[in-house]
Amino acid sequence: TADGPAGLRINPECGVNTTAFPCATMMACTWNTELAEEVGRAAAREVKENNIGIWLTPAVNIHRSPLCGRNFEYYSEDPYLAGKIGAATVRGIQSEHIGTAVKHFAVNNKETNRKASDSIVSERALREVYLKQFEIIVKEAEPYCIMSSYNLINGAQASEKQDLLTGILRDEWGFQGLVMTDWWGMGEHYLELKAGNDVKMGCGYPKRLQEAYEKNLISDEEVDLAVRRVLEMILKFD
């Protein structure tokens, strides 16, 4: 995997230069889904050239405040626009058999204290504003991956919310791909697995997961389901 909200990001010490594409906000200003798809396809070729399978993009949270440190990485204050441009970008990237990880699911709208912030939101606002762009992308572009967010939602870790990661994402919207956490989040690994996070990034806590398994806190079926999704994703790559 590799990050990069405006083109593939590779550490400088690797000595590899990549294209700096316009940021997501600028892309949304074009209102041009065909252009977004073209940019996605071109960037995906660079991802593939560098032997990377999943580009950790696009980020599609809402511009809730002009002070959010991630606004350059997000498309818009409008979920429909963000969803349509995001879906086109995903289609372009995945046309090269490069995976996307649509993020940050969900309601991550501030950068300060993002691992401990609690997004208090009604179900109506959640569905109409903060989830709508993810729904559009899932239904129109079938992304390989979704990345769950650091923050809490109404007092519970987003990465541990089964009603969000399984109930809404998979059962309601029909998402067939893999869910990963953001890097080194605060959620408990086995609770994230039960909720529908198939992989805890960057490398998880296998000893804690093994302990939970031995205490029957997670089942064979839950582990097998996550393993199957990982294998199905791998088979999509060239």
Side-chain angles (χ1 to χ4, degrees):
T1 66
D3 224 330
L8 174 65
R9 188 176 74 200
I10 297 178
N11 290 341
E13 58 265 28
C14 296
V16 176
N17 294 318
T18 58
T19 305
F21 287 96
C23 71
T25 307
M26 181 64 75
M27 291 301 302
C29 286
T30 69
W31 296 70
N32 190 330
T33 54
E34 292 181 4
L35 178 64
E37 191 165 338
E38 259 187 79
V39 169
R41 188 176 298 111
R45 294 192 186 110
E46 284 194 322
V47 176
K48 184 177 288 189
E49 284 173 6
N50 287 282
N51 299 314
I52 292 163
I54 300 173
W55 187 17
L56 303 172
T57 198
V60 299
N61 293 93
I62 292 298
H63 289 182
R64 186 171 183 268
S65 164
L67 302 179
C68 177
R70 284 278 179 111
N71 275 355
F72 76 98
E73 192 170 331
Y74 298 148
Y75 289 107
S76 174
E77 76 283 0
D78 180 79
Y80 183 78
L81 177 59
K84 287 294 185 178
I85 298 291
T89 302
V90 169
R91 287 195 298 270
I93 295 168
Q94 294 188 171
S95 70
E96 296 292 325
H97 294 174
I98 292 296
T100 58
V102 183
K103 59 187 185 181
H104 303 90
F105 194 59
V107 208
N108 182 75
N109 303 110
K110 60 181 288 188
E111 189 67 3
T112 302
N113 196 33
R114 58 185 176 154
K115 289 189 178 182
S117 65
D118 190 0
S119 301
I120 307 299
V121 60
S122 69
E123 183 173 0
R124 179 174 180 178
L126 186 68
R127 288 179 176 272
E128 292 184 356
V129 179
Y130 299 103
L131 295 184
K132 180 56 68 175
Q133 68 274 37
F134 289 98
E135 180 181 5
I136 292 169
I137 292 170
V138 166
K139 291 181 176 180
E140 294 188 3
E142 299 180 356
Y144 286 12
C145 307
I146 298 285
M147 183 190 294
S148 58
S149 55
Y150 284 129
N151 53 285
L152 293 82
I153 302 175
N154 295 334
Q157 290 284 346
S159 60
E160 296 177 359
K161 286 184 67 65
Q162 189 172 31
D163 56 346
L164 178 69
L165 303 180
T166 298
I168 293 176
L169 178 62
R170 291 187 165 109
D171 295 344
E172 290 190 25
W173 299 348
F175 177 66
Q176 297 294 315
L178 175 141
V179 177
M180 66 175 72
T181 69
D182 207 337
W183 266 238
W184 309 114
M186 304 298 285
E188 174 60 55
H189 193 163
Y190 85 89
L191 291 175
E192 292 174 332
L193 175 68
K194 293 178 75 69
N197 269 292
D198 304 299
V199 178
K200 185 173 182 68
M201 303 301 283
C203 62
Y205 298 97
K207 290 184 179 179
R208 292 180 67 83
L209 200 63
Q210 178 71 25
E211 183 181 350
Y213 177 78
E214 291 170 353
K215 292 180 178 179
N216 294 318
L217 297 174
I218 51 176
S219 66
D220 285 328
E221 290 76 17
E222 289 168 325
V223 174
D224 288 346
L225 187 57
V227 171
R228 189 191 78 189
R229 290 170 180 152
V230 172
L231 295 175
E232 286 175 344
M233 182 194 66
I234 291 171
L235 291 173
K236 295 175 181 176
F237 301 140
D238 288 342

